[in-house]
């Protein structure tokens, strides 16, 4: 008994000592010019609220390191002469992992004499400075802290005003009434296909995200009238940024969550080298539990999925910065009514039903190069190869009068395969003319290789015969370009303007789309903003090749010459920050949609009402 009491006292004493112990961690990173990305040597960074103040200055390469920082939520401020200060608030510093940051400072438009401006980075302030309205930045922590976000940027964004999901089973988002198919995904400057497991062709969402918030850093989300560099989208834009690996030590992570069992590693390739790697792998939680023997009951559908994401970053002294990132995922599920008991009263299909197999795969490999030509000019170039596939197989089931399953025939009642491969190249020039003027321009070339097959068994056909809703193999090139200009009349009034153009060979159509937005700082707590943009989008590629069967048995494609859908978008916004914990933002939004494909027969239907399900509307 005495031993038990002593053991208990020792345990509680140990726990109290551990609780009382103050853990510390290291913060490191770089500070650069916002526009040119040139390192700022001698910039100051401090941890606010510490006694004595913890801080340091950057070296010749813009790097900094602050050791022995108490863990928990911290506030940071970076300053540099001639630049507006930047603050990061409520950043979580963990004891098990160093915090690696990249801070971008914006040059002060007033150069007459040095002044001190104290302010916070607001969430309405995006990383992309070419926008002033209907945009906001978000942190990795926000993907965990919002209700129901589950570490998923899409589910997090559904908490924002003007954004909603169709249902909880998927993360497709509707932005101000637009189709989820109008959403653009971009990671580290490269536009990517649907980054979700179980994603169907022509959609941008799914039940489970492939995006791993452990690998992301502060990113942007646009909801309308976005800048000229974003195109071929009408709903919104996720412009995501991946962080680089820790360049000073190797770190490892393992965790279990809604999105799966997870293992990750990062660090330098060798000691003293600036080249780093970052890799993370996940496997379906339910899939793994099923594999090791957990019984989920007869007929239970177990989603099987896994994904891997990595990034390699190689900075050089004379040839710029090279990066490579990859993302890939596979998913599969079987919904087999043949495994259910037809005599079960809860069996919805009872005497008939289907065996359905559904799967989707996605992979991206991207290369990027950033060349700082001089302190005011940089050139970013991207190349990528991407692939996606979605397939559905349905086998009809039939039972006899005694509810015994009749063996299935050697054919499917429905089959659908949609495969796409995309080769993409783009290059972007950014130049800071002076403290008041920034310009940018870029060009994209993309070519899609497609293979579509969609066949449905004709009713009462003997022998079995199929009607093919899609049957196409070919390619589709798209050429896009933009130019944009930012002018700061002062620190309180900024105008961003640009022009975007794209040519889609399939419809032989070219567009020129003006974009403009401005921001006026009324006082230290409030600002007024407005924006306008003409936006166009090519139809989901599969829709161009829908076909109908004629009376003679031949097929005819009806949509091969579909034009681009277009939208005029106008926004007027007001932002008021009462204090660092309370903010009011209001926006008035007007959109005029035109050139939207609709059916010519009853019932009326439009493609803007698609994009939130597991199938292809044809």
């Amino acid at each position: 008994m005495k031993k038990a009491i002593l053991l208990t006292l020792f345990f509680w004493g140990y726990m109290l000592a551990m609780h009382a112990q103050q853990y510390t961690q290291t913060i490191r990173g770089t500070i650069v010019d916002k526009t040119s990305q040139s390192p700022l040597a001698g910039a100051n960074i401090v941890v606010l609220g510490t006694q004595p103040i913890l801080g340091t200055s950057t070296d010749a390469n813009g790097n900094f390191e602050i050791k022995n920082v108490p863990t928990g939520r911290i506030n940071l401020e970076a300053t540099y002469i001639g630049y507006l200060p930047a603050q990061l608030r409520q950043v979580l510093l963990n004891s098990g992992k160093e915090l690696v940051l990249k801070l971008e400072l914006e040059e002060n438009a007033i150069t007459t004499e040095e002044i001190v401006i104290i302010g916070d980075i607001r969430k309405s302030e995006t990383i992309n400075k070419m926008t002033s309205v209907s945009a906001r930045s978000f942190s990795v922590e926000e993907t965990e802290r919002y209700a129901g976000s589950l570490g998923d940027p899409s589910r997090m964004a559904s908490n924002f005003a003007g954004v909603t999901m169709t249902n909880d089973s998927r993360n497709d988002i509707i932005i101000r009434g637009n189709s989820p198919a109008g959403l653009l995904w971009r990671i580290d400057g490269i536009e990517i296909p649907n980054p979700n497991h179980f994603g169907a062709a022509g959609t941008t969402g799914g039940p489970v995200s492939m995006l791993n918030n452990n690998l992301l850093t502060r990113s942007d989300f646009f909801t309308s009238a976005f800048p000229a560099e974003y195109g071929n989208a009408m709903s919104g834009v996720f412009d995501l940024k991946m962080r680089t690996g820790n360049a000073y030590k190797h770190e490892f992570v393992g965790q279990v969550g809604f999105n799966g069992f997870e293992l990750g590693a990062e660090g330098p390739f060798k000691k003293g080298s600036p080249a780093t790697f970052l890799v993370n792998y996940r496997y379906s939680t339910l899939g793994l539990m099923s594999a090791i023997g957990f019984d989920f009951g007869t007929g239970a559908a177990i989603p099987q999925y896994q994904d891997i994401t990595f990034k390699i970053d190689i900075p050089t002294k004379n040839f710029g910065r090279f990066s490579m990132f990859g993302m890939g995922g596979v998913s599969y599920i079987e919904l087999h009514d043949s495994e259910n008991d037809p005599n079960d009263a809860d069996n919805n299909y009872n005497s008939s039903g289907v065996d359905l197999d559904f799967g989707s795969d996605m992979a991206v490999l991207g290369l990027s190069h950033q060349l700082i030509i001089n302190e005011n000019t940089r050139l970013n170039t991207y190349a990528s190869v991407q692939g996606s596939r979605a397939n559905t197989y349905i086998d009809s089931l039939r039972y006899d009068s005694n509810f015994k399953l009749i063996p299935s025939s050697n054919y499917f009642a429905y089959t659908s395969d949609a495969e796409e491969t995309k080769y993409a190249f783009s290059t972007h020039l950014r130049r800071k003319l002076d403290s008041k003027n920034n310009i940018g321009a870029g060009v994209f070339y993309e070519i899609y290789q497609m293979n579509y097959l969609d066949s449905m068994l004709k009713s009462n056909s003997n022998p079995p015969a199929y009607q093919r809703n899609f049957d196409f193999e070919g390619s589709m090139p798209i050429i896009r370009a933009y130019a944009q200009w930012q002018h700061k009349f002062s620190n309180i009034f900024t105008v961003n303007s640009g022009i975007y153009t794209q040519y889609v060979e399939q419809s032989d159509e070219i567009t020129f789309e003006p974009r403009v937005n401005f921001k006026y700082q009324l006082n230290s707590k409030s600002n007024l903003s407005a924006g306008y943009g003409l936006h166009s989008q090519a139809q989901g590629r599969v829709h161009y090749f829908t076909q109908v069967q004629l009376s003679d048995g031949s097929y005819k494609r009806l949509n091969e010459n579909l034009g681009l859908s277009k939208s005029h978008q106008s926004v007027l916004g007001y932002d008021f920050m009462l204090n660092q914990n309370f903010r009011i933002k209001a926006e008035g939004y007007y959109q005029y949609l035109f050139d939207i494909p609709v059916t010519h027969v009853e019932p009326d239907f439009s493609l803007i009402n698609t994009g939130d399900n597991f199938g292809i509307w044809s």
Side-chain angles (χ1 to χ4, degrees):
M1 181 68 177
K2 289 181 179 179
K3 287 184 178 179
I5 294 174
L6 288 173
L7 226 88
T8 303
L9 290 173
F10 173 79
F11 172 77
W12 283 109
Y14 175 78
M15 293 299 293
L16 288 171
M18 292 294 289
H19 180 73
Q21 181 178 351
Q22 177 65 65
Y23 289 99
T24 62
Q25 187 54 274
T26 298
I27 302 173
R28 65 175 83 249
T30 58
I31 301 179
V32 300
D33 179 278
K34 171 67 186 178
T35 303
S36 68
Q37 296 293 298
S38 300
L40 298 178
N44 297 314
I45 181 166
V46 297
V47 183
L48 301 175
T50 53
Q51 292 295 333
I53 288 288
L54 296 175
T56 188
S57 298
T58 57
D59 62 18
N61 296 315
N63 298 318
F64 68 86
E65 179 184 52
I66 309 175
K67 295 183 177 179
N68 300 318
V69 181
T71 56
R73 295 198 178 275
I74 60 171
N75 301 319
L76 297 165
E77 181 178 60
T79 57
Y80 190 66
I81 295 176
Y83 284 74
L84 299 175
Q87 290 190 2
L88 295 178
R89 289 192 172 273
Q90 297 299 300
V91 179
L92 183 61
L93 181 63
N94 292 310
S95 60
K97 186 182 185 313
E98 292 185 347
L99 180 63
V100 181
L101 299 170
K102 180 182 178 182
L103 290 95
E104 300 176 327
L105 300 187
E106 186 176 0
E107 189 172 5
N108 196 335
I110 300 175
T111 57
T112 54
E113 58 182 272
E114 181 183 352
I115 59 174
V116 177
I117 300 175
I118 299 175
D120 299 334
I121 285 188
R122 304 182 182 181
K123 292 177 181 178
S124 59
E125 297 290 337
T126 57
I127 299 172
N128 188 321
K129 294 301 181 183
M130 287 290 182
T131 188
S132 306
V133 68
S134 290
R136 58 161 292 158
S137 64
F138 64 92
S139 66
V140 174
E141 289 183 79
E142 289 181 85
T143 63
E144 296 284 3
R145 294 168 66 183
Y146 276 91
S149 59
L150 304 175
D152 181 346
S154 289
R155 294 182 188 272
M156 175 207 66
S158 68
N159 290 276
F160 300 159
V163 184
T164 187
M165 290 195 305
T166 55
N167 59 73
D168 289 337
S169 67
R170 293 174 58 90
N171 63 8
D172 310 272
I173 56 174
I174 298 172
I175 301 174
R176 290 172 166 167
N178 285 288
S179 166
L183 180 66
L184 173 65
W185 288 98
R186 190 162 91 164
I187 296 183
D188 280 358
I190 295 176
E191 297 175 7
I192 65 171
N194 184 353
N196 291 281
H197 291 294
F198 305 103
T203 64
T204 60
V208 182
S209 175
M210 293 184 198
L211 298 170
N212 193 315
N213 61 352
N214 284 331
L215 309 184
L216 299 177
T217 185
R218 185 166 166 253
S219 303
D220 287 343
F221 177 57
F222 302 85
T223 56
S224 62
F226 29 88
E229 66 182 271
Y230 305 105
N232 201 21
M234 292 203 318
S235 172
V237 178
F238 270 111
D239 192 355
L240 306 176
K241 309 294 183 184
M242 286 183 66
R243 63 181 181 86
T244 57
N246 193 325
Y248 297 91
K249 62 182 292 189
H250 291 97
E251 297 180 312
F252 304 91
V253 64
Q255 67 180 35
V256 181
F258 168 80
N259 290 327
F261 284 81
E262 181 177 330
L263 294 172
E266 64 178 283
F269 279 100
K270 64 179 181 178
K271 189 175 182 179
S273 169
T276 62
F277 72 90
L278 181 68
V279 62
N280 194 284
Y281 170 78
R282 292 188 302 190
Y283 193 93
S284 162
T285 302
L286 294 179
L288 185 57
M289 293 173 68
S290 175
I292 61 178
F294 280 83
D295 185 6
F296 293 95
T298 303
I302 307 300
Q304 306 281 347
Y305 59 85
Q306 54 187 313
D307 54 65
I308 187 169
T309 307
F310 72 88
K311 181 175 181 178
I312 297 172
D313 187 67
I314 306 175
T316 66
K317 290 184 178 180
N318 301 318
F319 302 101
R321 191 181 204 101
F322 295 87
S323 295
M324 177 171 67
F325 93 88
M327 172 189 292
V330 295
S331 52
Y332 176 73
I333 191 169
E334 296 179 350
L335 303 170
H336 286 182
D337 291 324
S338 60
E339 298 177 8
N340 296 328
D341 182 1
N343 295 301
D344 187 350
D346 294 329
N347 181 3
N348 294 327
Y349 294 95
N350 200 19
S351 61
S352 64
V354 297
D355 276 0
L356 184 150
D357 297 348
F358 177 77
S360 69
D361 310 328
M362 190 277 276
V364 178
L365 180 63
L367 300 171
S368 67
H369 176 241
Q370 181 182 87
L371 179 64
I372 298 179
I373 300 173
N374 55 48
E375 63 180 11
N376 294 320
T377 309
R378 78 178 191 267
L379 181 69
N380 291 82
T381 303
Y382 307 94
S384 66
V385 57
Q386 311 170 14
S388 61
R389 181 174 67 94
N391 54 71
T392 304
Y393 304 107
I394 299 178
D395 191 4
S396 59
L397 305 177
R398 293 176 298 282
Y399 297 87
D400 62 20
S401 58
N402 296 317
F403 295 107
K404 291 183 179 180
L405 182 66
I406 300 173
S408 176
S409 303
N410 294 322
Y411 54 83
F412 288 104
Y414 174 81
T415 180
S416 174
D417 285 285
E419 299 180 7
E420 290 186 356
T421 302
K422 175 184 174 183
Y423 303 93
F425 173 85
S426 68
T427 185
H428 312 260
L429 182 69
R430 301 283 188 274
R431 180 168 175 79
K432 181 169 68 175
L433 301 177
D434 51 43
S435 63
K436 293 186 176 183
N437 294 281
N438 300 299
I439 59 173
V443 62
F444 302 79
Y445 179 75
E446 303 159 346
I447 185 166
Y448 293 85
Q449 298 286 347
M450 300 159 290
N451 191 346
Y452 302 136
L453 177 62
D454 185 281
S455 298
M456 181 179 296
L457 182 67
K458 292 182 178 179
S459 59
N460 301 321
S461 59
N462 189 17
Y466 289 90
Q467 176 178 325
R468 296 195 168 185
N469 301 314
F470 309 99
D471 187 0
F472 175 80
E473 184 173 359
S475 62
M476 177 192 296
I478 298 178
I479 301 173
R480 305 187 284 139
Y482 71 91
Q484 51 192 15
W485 172 40
Q486 179 186 78
H487 178 69
K488 298 178 181 179
F489 291 92
S490 66
N491 281 334
I492 65 172
F493 184 42
T494 301
V495 175
N496 303 297
S497 58
I499 185 75
Y500 169 86
T501 182
Q502 70 176 352
Y503 171 72
V504 180
E505 185 182 82
Q506 181 64 34
S507 59
D508 193 26
E509 184 175 2
I510 187 170
T511 64
F512 295 93
E513 304 169 21
R515 316 277 176 85
V516 63
N517 62 80
F518 77 84
K519 179 180 178 180
Y520 185 79
Q521 195 76 33
L522 299 172
N523 51 52
S524 61
K525 293 185 177 181
S526 63
N527 65 72
L528 186 68
S529 59
Y532 162 78
L534 172 61
H535 302 266
S536 70
Q537 182 177 13
Q539 311 307 326
R541 286 161 296 281
V542 69
H543 298 301
Y544 288 99
F545 309 107
T546 299
Q547 60 187 25
V548 295
Q549 191 170 23
L550 305 179
S551 57
D552 61 1
S554 63
Y555 288 92
K556 181 179 181 180
R557 296 193 184 111
L558 302 178
N559 301 328
E560 284 187 301
N561 298 317
L562 279 178
L564 304 177
S565 295
K566 300 182 181 68
S567 168
H568 292 292
Q569 299 181 8
S570 301
V571 186
L572 179 64
Y574 175 73
D575 196 335
F576 175 71
M577 187 171 235
L578 182 62
N579 56 51
Q580 66 183 41
N581 298 315
F582 187 80
R583 170 172 166 249
I584 297 175
K585 183 175 182 178
E587 286 189 350
Y589 173 73
Y590 173 78
Q591 177 178 222
Y592 176 74
L593 293 161
F594 59 106
D595 291 346
I596 307 297
V598 297
T599 58
H600 293 287
V601 295
E602 295 291 341
D604 295 333
F605 190 79
S606 168
L607 281 184
I608 60 173
N609 295 320
T610 64
D612 63 342
N613 51 40
F614 293 96
I616 303 171
W617 185 87
S618 58

